[in-house]
Amino acid sequence: MSILKRIVNSRYFMVFLWMVIIVAVWEVFAFIVQFTKRTPVNILPHIYGIIESILDTKTINGSETALQMVLINAGATLSRAGIGFLIGTALGFTLALLMNLSGTVEKIAFPYLMLIQMIPVLGMAPIVLALTGDIATSRIVIAAILTFYPVAANTLAGFKGVHKEKHELMYSYAASKFQLYTKTLIPACLPAFFTGMKIAAPMAVTASILVDTLQGGVGLGCLLSQSLKGAMTRYVFWQIVILSAIVGILSFVLIGAIEKRVCPYNQKPKG
């Protein structure tokens, strides 16, 4: 019984259980759509149909299969999202550090930080494109902007969350400002910093796909738009949806793994 209980309570079992539930619910609704005599692939296809489209070797544009097209366009979209994410992360952490160092910087920068976050992505895209004059650069900038706020806000909250007793303890040892930050404040804010990264990573990918649909060119969003308009099989749309979900989950898991290495002191003891 103890082994069975351990399996049931394990994280992997819960992940497997949720996957089974999601697949079951998906298939139920797919059958409902099918029996209403609507086209299932256009609304909610069966999962086996999506799997078949992934494994299908038939070309849809004369030279590439559906999966090849999705992966090629994914490379363009994810590379831009990745570069923007790294830039936004670096700038967000730097701004949070500056705001914590100076109350004046915080009073000046924080309202603008909130304002940028409130601008819709699709409204921001034409403005950024007009300023940069380059589609690829504009998508990197937008991914950086969307990464910037959650990283900066969470990191600043991490700095502010350090107890005053820790400040006083460092000052009692005659620690300099540099030592205070490197020995106490930065290590203490890293969990909040990684939380901001976990929030920002899927947002950067989603924003890149949305902007692709608006500006065209090479990318998952452009391919998704073409699929919805009937320029190619609708299964391409569903492949993009599943790939985007997988990328979002993997980005969260990867950042979590890095956090465990960088912040072992923040991990809860097992048992």
Side-chain angles (χ1 to χ4, degrees):
M1 288 297 293
S2 60
I3 297 175
L4 181 61
K5 185 177 180 181
R6 194 182 310 162
I7 293 173
V8 171
N9 292 332
S10 69
R11 182 188 305 175
Y12 300 106
F13 177 79
M14 294 307 298
V15 171
F16 174 76
L17 180 62
W18 274 108
M19 288 179 64
V20 171
I21 292 172
I22 291 171
V23 170
V25 171
W26 182 304
E27 284 298 312
V28 167
F29 280 99
F31 275 110
I32 292 173
V33 169
Q34 183 177 350
F35 286 118
T36 58
K37 297 183 179 180
R38 290 179 289 179
T39 307
V41 71
N42 291 342
I43 303 169
L44 190 67
H46 292 286
I47 292 178
Y48 65 79
I50 300 175
I51 295 173
E52 286 177 357
S53 74
I54 293 173
L55 300 176
D56 192 1
T57 57
K58 182 181 178 181
T59 60
I60 59 176
N61 66 348
S63 60
E64 297 168 341
T65 64
L67 180 61
Q68 287 173 337
M69 289 188 66
V70 170
L71 293 178
I72 290 171
N73 284 270
T77 297
L78 297 180
S79 62
R80 292 190 289 254
I83 295 170
F85 172 74
L86 293 176
I87 294 172
T89 297
L91 292 177
F93 182 85
T94 302
L95 180 63
L97 181 61
L98 292 174
M99 286 192 293
N100 195 64
L101 283 167
S102 172
T104 303
V105 173
E106 182 180 357
K107 290 178 182 178
I108 294 173
F110 201 78
Y112 291 102
L113 196 63
M114 293 289 294
L115 182 63
I116 291 173
Q117 183 65 16
M118 293 171 65
I119 300 175
V121 176
L122 295 182
M124 190 188 306
I127 300 172
V128 176
L129 178 58
L131 292 173
T132 60
D134 180 72
I135 289 179
T137 303
S138 69
R139 292 169 185 175
I140 292 173
V141 171
I142 289 171
I145 290 173
L146 287 184
T147 302
F148 185 69
Y149 175 79
V151 171
N154 279 275
T155 305
L156 181 62
F159 280 128
K160 300 290 186 184
V162 179
H163 297 297
K164 290 184 178 180
E165 290 82 359
K166 293 185 178 180
H167 289 256
E168 294 170 355
L169 178 63
M170 291 297 290
Y171 287 135
S172 69
Y173 287 114
S176 64
K177 180 82 73 173
F178 178 79
Q179 290 173 323
L180 173 65
Y181 273 84
T182 56
K183 301 295 184 181
T184 302
L185 296 185
I186 291 178
C189 84
L190 285 180
F193 167 70
F194 280 107
T195 298
M197 290 179 67
K198 290 176 184 176
I199 296 170
M203 289 176 61
V205 175
T206 302
S208 296
I209 294 174
L210 285 175
V211 176
D212 284 347
T213 62
L214 180 66
Q215 296 179 350
V218 179
L220 285 178
C222 181
L223 195 64
L224 184 147
S225 181
Q226 292 174 4
S227 176
L228 289 175
K229 292 175 182 177
M232 60 188 68
T233 173
R234 188 62 65 91
Y235 278 118
V236 169
F237 167 82
W238 293 105
Q239 287 186 25
I240 293 172
V241 170
I242 292 175
L243 177 63
S244 302
I246 292 173
V247 169
I249 294 170
L250 288 179
S251 65
F252 186 92
V253 172
L254 177 61
I255 293 171
I258 296 172
E259 180 184 6
K260 287 183 179 180
R261 288 297 187 104
V262 176
C263 311
Y265 50 84
N266 192 50
Q267 306 305 314
K268 294 180 180 178
K270 294 182 179 181

